[in-house]
Amino acid sequence: MPDAYAKQTMCYTFSKLSSINLPRRRIAIAILHVGIWFLHCFVVNECYIGSRDGSTPLHKATLDGHVNIVYILLQNHARIDIANNIGSKPLHNVASNGSEKVLDILLQYGAQIDVKNNKGATPLHESASNGNEKVVDLLLQNGAPIDVMDKDGSASLHLAIFSGSNKIVEILLKHGCPIDIENKDGSTPLLYAASSGNNKVVEMLLQNGVEIDMMDNDGSIPLHYGASNDNEKVVDTLLQNDAQIDVKNNDGSTPLHESSSNGRNKIGLTPFHIVASNVHDKVVDTLLHYGAQIGAKDNDRSSPLL
């Protein structure tokens, strides 16, 4: 058996292949083929020697999308589900960089599709948050669990909306993902979509039967977020689908309060003050059109009507 230094040298060579320019890389691969007997002597148990961050040559090769190197390592029994220091396994790396070919190889060699890193994220979480549509679809076709939450309580649908990938949202919905799932803040995917002003996703979720007035931990509903971000289209879409217009959150704010840049409520600003100040006029007009109440008085019981 080769000594420890030789073993580490060989593994280090694999991990550095991605930094070699193309002609030299081809030469390096040829040399590695010639020396494959040497690699085979220790790769079964030793080629998972990691770098300072715990990443193995397979981690590096999958992260950079090097199909041939991944294949060579796996042919020689590199451990496919070993984790680095943050708990990420090679399949997490593939999900992040979007290499379908590498993903297919890992799955053929039996990579666990539902593995979690230290943050509780699965490969599906990683691909959804990085906008890798084809990888998301391939993972789901191979049985990736769609309703798993990470340690923040976020599901893949939350992450897809947060990343702004409407196509991934569509893919997840087609595969039957839960649409009213809440994270640790009590935020649903619809709250995320309304907050980000993504009216297309708001419409998709409503078409799939999402509950329109689910509150987060602050007592706010999607209409609060649409109004506070001055998004007329989101506000109009929610109201057309019968969102509650005068519901108050834990601070006593209605969506009309939230349409003010100050968003005041308990400290004296009434909805009518907001109308009078002409702040966020289009959203205010939309809310008033659907019957928002404006007659409340401030802490001194005075009204702008007087």
Side-chain angles (χ1 to χ4, degrees):
M1 289 290 288
D3 60 28
Y5 177 77
K7 298 173 187 178
Q8 292 185 33
T9 300
M10 181 64 76
C11 287
Y12 181 80
T13 301
F14 269 102
S15 69
K16 290 298 182 181
L17 280 177
S18 62
S19 64
I20 303 174
N21 60 39
L22 188 58
R24 290 177 61 195
R25 185 188 304 163
R26 289 174 178 169
I27 294 172
I29 291 175
I31 293 172
L32 287 171
H33 275 292
V34 173
I36 201 70
W37 65 269
F38 180 87
L39 174 63
H40 187 72
C41 290
F42 67 90
V43 73
V44 174
N45 293 313
E46 303 294 342
C47 204
Y48 56 83
I49 294 173
S51 59
R52 289 183 179 179
D53 66 356
S55 294
T56 66
L58 187 59
H59 279 101
K60 179 63 175 175
T62 52
L63 183 62
D64 293 337
H66 293 311
V67 177
N68 291 336
I69 297 173
V70 169
Y71 187 69
I72 291 171
L73 288 166
L74 291 174
Q75 272 191 320
N76 288 274
H77 312 291
R79 289 175 58 181
I80 198 168
D81 285 321
I82 191 169
N84 61 17
N85 293 350
I86 61 172
S88 290
K89 300 187 178 182
L91 196 59
H92 286 99
N93 290 347
V94 177
S96 296
N97 73 12
S99 174
E100 299 167 68
K101 291 183 179 180
V102 173
L103 173 61
D104 190 54
I105 292 172
L106 290 178
L107 293 176
Q108 287 180 30
Y109 274 83
Q112 296 179 41
I113 204 165
D114 58 350
V115 290
K116 293 184 177 182
N117 61 21
N118 294 351
K119 294 183 178 180
T122 66
L124 185 59
H125 284 117
E126 295 289 342
S127 56
S129 62
N130 283 282
N132 296 324
E133 301 168 12
K134 293 182 179 179
V135 171
V136 166
D137 199 33
L138 190 55
L139 286 169
L140 290 170
Q141 289 176 26
N142 282 273
I146 201 168
D147 56 353
V148 174
M149 295 182 178
D150 62 19
K151 289 187 176 179
D152 291 325
S154 293
S156 299
L157 186 57
H158 287 99
L159 300 174
I161 294 171
F162 188 77
S163 71
S165 178
N166 292 4
K167 181 62 177 178
I168 290 180
V169 172
E170 185 178 348
I171 292 170
L172 291 169
L173 291 174
K174 284 182 178 178
H175 282 268
C177 68
I179 55 176
D180 289 322
I181 196 166
E182 298 177 77
N183 64 14
K184 285 187 176 180
D185 296 324
S187 295
T188 63
L190 184 59
L191 280 166
Y192 268 39
S195 180
S196 63
N198 193 332
N199 192 56
K200 179 64 176 177
V201 170
V202 169
E203 291 176 336
M204 281 195 285
L205 292 169
L206 290 170
Q207 289 167 6
N208 280 270
V210 71
E211 187 175 335
I212 197 168
D213 290 323
M214 283 187 70
M215 295 180 177
D216 62 13
N217 294 348
D218 295 324
S220 294
I221 62 173
L223 189 58
H224 282 100
Y225 288 98
S228 67
N229 287 293
D230 194 23
N231 195 294
E232 183 186 3
K233 287 185 177 180
V234 169
V235 169
D236 190 57
T237 297
L238 292 170
L239 290 172
Q240 284 183 27
N241 286 272
D242 301 322
Q244 296 183 52
I245 197 167
D246 288 318
V247 65
K248 293 183 178 181
N249 62 19
N250 296 348
D251 292 326
S253 291
T254 67
L256 190 54
H257 280 113
E258 294 295 334
S259 67
S260 163
S261 59
N262 294 317
R264 296 185 181 180
N265 40 64
K266 291 181 179 178
I267 59 174
L269 190 64
T270 71
F272 200 90
H273 283 104
I274 297 167
V275 177
S277 67
N278 199 34
V279 178
H280 290 189
D281 56 311
K282 290 184 178 180
V283 172
V284 169
D285 287 345
T286 301
L287 290 165
L288 292 176
H289 174 75
Y290 282 91
Q293 299 298 308
I294 63 172
K297 295 181 178 180
D298 64 16
N299 290 350
D300 295 325
R301 301 191 62 77
S302 62
S303 167
L305 288 169
L306 299 178

